[in-house]
Amino acid sequence: MQIKNICCIGAGYVGGPTMAVIALKCPNINVTVVDANPEKIKAWNGLLDELPVYEPGLAEVVKEARGRNLFFSNDIAANIEKAEMIFMAVNTPTKTEGEGAGMAADLRYIEACARDISKYSKSDKIVIEKSTLPVRTAEKIKEILEENSIDIHFEILSNPEFLAEGTAIQDLFKSDRVLIGGDETESGQNAVKALVDIYANWIPKEKILTTNVWSSELAKLASNAMLAKRISSINSLSALCEKTGANIDELSKAIGMDHRIGPYFLKASVGFGGSCFQKDILNLVYLCKYYGLEEVAEYWHGVIKINDYQKNRFAQKIIDGLGGDVERKKITILGWSFKKDTNDSRESAAIYVTHSLIEAGAQIAVYDPMVDAQKIKSDLKILWESKPLSENEIQKKLACLECFDDYRSAIQESQAIGILTEWDEFKDYSWESISQNTLIVDGRNILNHKSVISIGK
Ligand code: NAD
Ligand code: UGA
């Protein structure tokens, strides 16, 4: 099938950057990204330094392709109708209610996409799962697609995304692999070929891996689980280092030099954040339980438990460093995003550490170079609403929080500073003089100063 028009449903951290790169690399294909949120589409069509996603290199790609063969639109119906190939890149958060609440993936957004595709399609389509989904979701999507459509053939592929935020454009330009899962039928294999041909415009053929649909869906969850497990492994050892005098950075280096292990994802930290690791592992745990694999579920659940332990340990380090009492003491949180070079703060460790410190009575100041006050407050509000706290209680807690646009004001008269994100600019502050009057707890081990309290040292 000759692909001339692609539609992507979901203009978020995945849909925006991936489609921008496909448009850049395939100038003969029109790529339109649609979203249910008109504000987001407006921002994608707006100023390049105000795009809804901050990623190094993204603005340059959008600048080149936007208006040429890359479009952002609110018109979901027309773009579904026009496209031969449709990517679904909508969010798949953890369910908050109903069966599987707190563990299973909430598939309501993906199901809504499938209903829209079924409703607006007038010709055959290749429908692609770009979102991260539980294994065998394609079955459910097929059911929805075929419910109301007569005489239209839908071919479903799984093409999970492996980009990491902060390096998304480089990851998309030079992917370790592109994974495409399809049916073994003739039409399935034709659809796989159509997608392979698109990626082959810039990805070497040997890096494009084709599998069956279920392997592809499960490989995405498994990849994230393996990456997160390495972080929890090293974070668990950081606690043992602190008891024994071993140094976690030295340990990581020594372990990672074994080529069978490798050096990546062995950096001890305050705990992993981001919108995916936790939700994908919980989803995996749920799937294992669903299939009666209790021991396997328990094994992967340990990754989350250690991550929670690490975040709590970090908050406690600050409290202990201030003599066990933080009541009315000013503590500054430096860094709110879940890692450097992104404006994304979903599931950031900073949210949980701030919550624990406010619970203990502290006054919190926050500075992040990319995340603004409104987002910081809304992240905390979402957490407190989920507890659930009343509006009155939430307002009382928010009164203990102040956000700043520059770090100097944020740290002024602070008794302790917690470094939660490894932003490069933090390394250059004058720590020598700051540390004379302030306790510094470095959750990213980016400072090399003897008075700083680090992780695993
Ligand atoms: P996101 O929340 O940034 O974006 C999702 C977008 O989909 C939102 O803009 C939302 O308005 C839109 N949307 C939801 N339902 C819709 C509907 N029915 N019709 C039209 N638009 C709709 O999410 P994201 O971070 O881009 O993640 C998307 C998927 O990709 C998830 O499954 C995630 O697990 C996976 N993933 C994310 C990353 C990442 O780095 N963020 C990396 C790999 C995979
Ligand atoms: C992660 C995966 O790396 C991507 O391959 C995947 O596509 C994506 O999830 C997804 O499915 O959403 P991302 O969450 O964007 O990407 O960023 P990572 O670089 O993996 O970092 C995740 C968290 O782990 C961050 O909080 C980071 O600071 C932390 N981390 C990472 C560590 O604490 N130590 C490390 O050694 C590495």
Side-chain angles (χ1 to χ4, degrees), residues 300-311:
W300 289 109
H301 207 183
V303 175
I304 302 291
K305 288 182 187 165
I306 288 291
N307 202 46
D308 291 340
Y309 166 75
Q310 192 74 346
K311 290 183 275 191

Side-chain angles (χ1 to χ4, degrees), residues 22 25-29 196-204 208:
I22 290 183
K25 301 290 185 183
C26 309
N28 299 326
I29 300 177
V196 168
D197 287 347
I198 287 171
Y199 282 111
N201 282 299
W202 77 100
I203 303 288
I208 305 178

Side-chain angles (χ1 to χ4, degrees), residues 132 161-165 220 224 227 231 235 264-269 271-277 280 338-339 422 444:
T132 303
E161 185 48 61
F162 294 99
L163 67 78
E165 290 179 31
K220 173 61 197 177
N224 274 358
L227 289 170
I231 304 170
N235 281 343
Y264 304 104
F265 277 70
L266 290 180
K267 178 87 184 143
S269 68
F272 59 75
S275 61
C276 294
F277 278 173
D280 292 347
F338 79 98
K339 64 188 282 199
E422 72 282 23
R444 296 292 184 164

